[in-house]
Amino acid sequence: MTSPPQAATAGNDTTTAGESASLTEEKTDTSQGTTAGRSPGQLMWMRFKRDRTGVIAGCVVIFFFALAALAPVVGWIYGKDPYTFYGLEDMSLLDPFGYPTGSPGGVSGEHWFGIEPDLGRDVMMQLLYGMRTSLYTAVPVTIVSVVLGVLLGLVGGFFGGKTDYWIGRITDFFMALPSQLFLISTMPVVVALFVDPQKETPVYVRFLAMLIILSFLGWMGMARLVRSATLSLREREFVEAAKVSGASRWRILRKELLPNLYTPILVQGTLMLPMAILSVAFLSYVGIGYTEPTPDWGRMFQRAGEIYQDNPVYMLFPGIAMVIFIVSFNLLGDSVRDAIDPKAGR
């Protein structure tokens, strides 16, 4: 027989570990003698600030975005640009074989990261403008991919039935495509739709072609994630209550389901952006993305692959910059996930 105190204890012990953590974080303001209730956003920010790795990664990501956005300002202060052939203007910067003279890579007080072999362009300005090009392409690609994935995942998960079946089969089909081969084969075709192959392709056309292709191939992971979350949410009491009250399907999707999907969407989006940057760099590396004279990370790697045996320093700075940025963004995504949902990392 269970004693009354034990029964009362068992009946009241219903607080989960996540709720206990949230209650603990609602600290008492001793100076005022009142309890300071905090919103979920404030609690998330408090958890994120305690994560040193996430804060450092966030600062690094912001620093890269600031450098990319202020590349013209940096160039004005630095006194260089990514298009001038400094090695051809000053013949002492290059040896008879076209490689930088002096210190490895031509690193000096005039050219902090050295100069490019043969043409003598400034590597630092090539890198900053290359970051600018890659980020300005990858961010719209990520936004379009997220929007497509969220819409298809919500519709398939909420409506179910044949709608969910056909969206799922379409998603499986695109996920089965060999993405790199598809990119290589499709990019020239899409460019040819806008410009005659006999004419020079403008930069904005290449941007639009990459936006279309990369967005076309980048929404599937987000769609499957949102669909699985929607399937679990559509049976919850607040959704049933909205249906009983006569709310339209559009209102339920927009007001009831979507606000509860912000966490997986935000985390997945932070992981999709680095992948988009790598895809943009890959297209330029194989020669079907951005081409001369547009500065781009991938084009720098393509050039470095040709000369790395004789001038390995040219690959050093763009390689280090990309590794730092990709790792920092992935760490930032993990930290944001843990800050929004502390139980997700357990």
Side-chain angles (χ1 to χ4, degrees), residues 2 42 63-64 72 97 104 129 134 180 224 233 276 294 309 320:
T2 304
Q42 291 174 323
F63 176 72
F64 271 80
F97 300 99
Y129 275 82
S134 297
Q180 292 185 346
R224 297 191 71 171
L233 288 173
T294 304
Q309 290 183 333
I320 291 176

Side-chain angles (χ1 to χ4, degrees), residues 153 155-157 159-169 227 231 234:
V155 170
F159 289 97
K162 291 185 178 180
T163 302
D164 184 33
Y165 175 82
W166 286 111
I167 291 178
R169 300 295 75 75
R227 172 189 175 273
L231 286 174
R234 71 178 186 178

Side-chain angles (χ1 to χ4, degrees), residues 129-212:
Y129 275 82
M131 290 163 44
R132 182 187 179 92
T133 302
S134 297
L135 290 175
Y136 279 17
T137 306
V139 170
V141 167
T142 303
I143 292 174
V144 174
S145 299
V146 168
V147 171
L148 286 175
V150 169
L151 288 176
L152 292 174
L154 269 175
V155 170
F158 180 72
F159 289 97
K162 291 185 178 180
T163 302
D164 184 33
Y165 175 82
W166 286 111
I167 291 178
R169 300 295 75 75
I170 294 172
T171 303
D172 294 338
F173 171 77
F174 281 107
M175 294 189 75
L177 290 176
S179 58
Q180 292 185 346
L181 293 177
F182 190 82
L183 285 172
I184 295 173
S185 60
T186 309
M187 183 69 182
V189 176
V190 176
V191 171
L193 295 176
F194 296 95
V195 180
D196 189 333
Q198 304 298 326
K199 297 181 180 180
E200 182 68 23
T201 304
V203 175
Y204 76 90
V205 171
R206 294 188 177 276
F207 165 78
L208 290 175
M210 282 189 279
L211 177 63
I212 293 171

Side-chain angles (χ1 to χ4, degrees), residues 70-285:
L70 299 175
V73 178
V74 175
W76 176 73
I77 297 173
Y78 180 52
K80 303 290 188 300
D81 64 71
Y83 305 106
T84 301
F85 301 147
Y86 298 102
L88 301 182
E89 293 181 353
D90 185 356
M91 301 303 294
S92 64
L93 296 176
L94 300 174
D95 63 18
F97 300 99
Y99 291 101
T101 58
S103 59
V107 176
S108 64
E110 283 291 318
H111 303 278
W112 295 354
F113 290 0
I115 60 175
E116 180 184 8
D118 296 330
L119 300 177
R121 290 178 291 198
D122 187 83
V123 175
M124 178 176 168
M125 295 312 301
Q126 285 269 306
L127 176 58
L128 293 183
Y129 275 82
M131 290 163 44
R132 182 187 179 92
T133 302
S134 297
L135 290 175
Y136 279 17
T137 306
V139 170
V141 167
T142 303
I143 292 174
V144 174
S145 299
V146 168
V147 171
L148 286 175
V150 169
L151 288 176
L152 292 174
L154 269 175
V155 170
F158 180 72
F159 289 97
K162 291 185 178 180
T163 302
D164 184 33
Y165 175 82
W166 286 111
I167 291 178
R169 300 295 75 75
I170 294 172
T171 303
D172 294 338
F173 171 77
F174 281 107
M175 294 189 75
L177 290 176
S179 58
Q180 292 185 346
L181 293 177
F182 190 82
L183 285 172
I184 295 173
S185 60
T186 309
M187 183 69 182
V189 176
V190 176
V191 171
L193 295 176
F194 296 95
V195 180
D196 189 333
Q198 304 298 326
K199 297 181 180 180
E200 182 68 23
T201 304
V203 175
Y204 76 90
V205 171
R206 294 188 177 276
F207 165 78
L208 290 175
M210 282 189 279
L211 177 63
I212 293 171
I213 295 173
L214 294 177
S215 301
F216 193 67
L217 295 176
W219 57 268
M220 293 83 72
M222 178 65 75
R224 297 191 71 171
L225 179 67
V226 172
R227 172 189 175 273
S228 63
T230 304
L231 286 174
S232 64
L233 288 173
R234 71 178 186 178
E235 306 298 333
R236 300 284 292 273
E237 292 81 1
F238 63 91
V239 176
E240 294 297 331
K243 291 179 180 178
V244 171
S245 66
S248 64
R249 291 179 173 180
W250 168 245
R251 180 178 176 80
I252 294 174
L253 287 174
R254 184 168 53 92
K255 293 292 187 178
E256 306 295 339
L257 292 177
L258 188 58
N260 289 280
L261 295 172
Y262 286 156
T263 297
I265 292 172
L266 179 61
V267 174
Q268 183 69 10
T270 58
L271 299 176
M272 289 170 65
L273 180 60
M275 297 304 298
I277 291 175
L278 292 176
S279 298
V280 172
F282 169 76
L283 290 175
S284 298
Y285 180 82

